[in-house]
Amino acid sequence: MRLDVLEHGYAPGTKLLFAIIRLFSRHPVPDAARLVFYRPDFYGTRAKAFTHEAMRGPSDWSVGDRELMAAYVSKVNGSAFCVGAHTATAGRAYGDPQRVAAVLDDLETAPVAEPLRATLRMLGKLTREGKAGAEDMREVLAAGVSPQQVRDALAVCAAFSITDRLADAFGFELLSPEGFEAGAKYLLKRGYR
């Protein structure tokens, strides 16, 4: 059930911004954007900063890798909106949507390097079970992932574990494939600010 709060309560300047976005993009403003603008003092400003740092800050993981992590965590969480958004963004970042689809279909046979596969495996376990132990970390490190890459991947997982739950709690509406592609273009150009 969609929570009506995403339809009301915005300042006049925000309403104008939404109208301009819709006019130029020819797509409705995604609910993820509506949420961060609804209570920027309470959630939006902090969430945007944290997510932007996790997804676009300095990292040895590529933007495509981090977007794939977001899509994978979202798939494990069962968040259809976030799976759609980050599958489109990862596919566009890699220039290879089939690779992203292969990972989401079957991680073990997908055409990805072992460090990324091991990291996604660990993120999947953490997301499903709510914990990952020392042995899980040893496996990721043994696959060639650096300690900083583990921290960066955990930041992506944290950001999207929160976002996925909010997307489901607020009943984010799914976009059309064209809407997800427009969102992907925006995220790759502007990030999460």
Side-chain angles (χ1 to χ4, degrees), residues 19-98:
I20 292 169
I21 290 170
R22 185 176 183 101
L23 177 69
F24 285 100
S25 73
R26 300 180 195 265
H27 297 282
V29 175
D31 289 337
R34 290 178 171 279
L35 180 63
V36 296
F37 279 102
Y38 181 70
R39 292 279 310 273
D41 57 324
F42 176 74
Y43 170 75
T45 301
R46 291 176 188 93
K48 287 191 304 184
F50 178 75
T51 304
H52 187 79
E53 182 64 24
M55 300 302 286
R56 299 296 185 268
S59 179
D60 287 336
W61 294 116
S62 72
V63 168
D65 294 339
R66 289 180 275 174
E67 289 291 343
L68 180 58
M69 290 174 196
Y72 191 79
V73 166
S74 298
K75 180 182 180 210
V76 173
N77 278 327
S79 177
F81 175 87
C82 292
V83 170
H86 300 286
T87 296
T89 308
R92 186 172 277 278
Y94 283 134
D96 189 355
Q98 292 77 22

Side-chain angles (χ1 to χ4, degrees), residues 62-185:
S62 72
V63 168
D65 294 339
R66 289 180 275 174
E67 289 291 343
L68 180 58
M69 290 174 196
Y72 191 79
V73 166
S74 298
K75 180 182 180 210
V76 173
N77 278 327
S79 177
F81 175 87
C82 292
V83 170
H86 300 286
T87 296
T89 308
R92 186 172 277 278
Y94 283 134
D96 189 355
Q98 292 77 22
R99 178 180 176 195
V100 175
V103 169
L104 296 179
D105 184 51
D106 183 359
L107 175 60
E108 298 310 319
T109 62
V112 294
E114 192 54 34
L116 181 57
R117 184 185 329 277
T119 301
L120 291 169
R121 223 182 267 128
M122 180 270 296
L123 294 178
K125 180 178 180 181
L126 177 60
T127 302
R128 268 188 308 282
E129 299 176 16
K131 62 184 176 182
E135 185 57 35
D136 300 306
M137 293 304 141
R138 279 191 284 275
E139 288 176 17
V140 172
L141 295 170
V145 179
S146 73
Q148 184 59 51
Q149 284 178 299
V150 171
R151 286 189 286 277
D152 294 347
L154 291 172
V156 171
C157 185
F160 285 91
S161 289
I162 293 166
T163 302
D164 293 342
R165 283 163 178 78
L166 289 170
D168 292 343
F170 281 89
F172 283 12
E173 291 182 359
L174 291 177
L175 303 177
S176 66
E178 297 80 19
F180 280 130
E181 283 299 318
K185 284 170 44 177

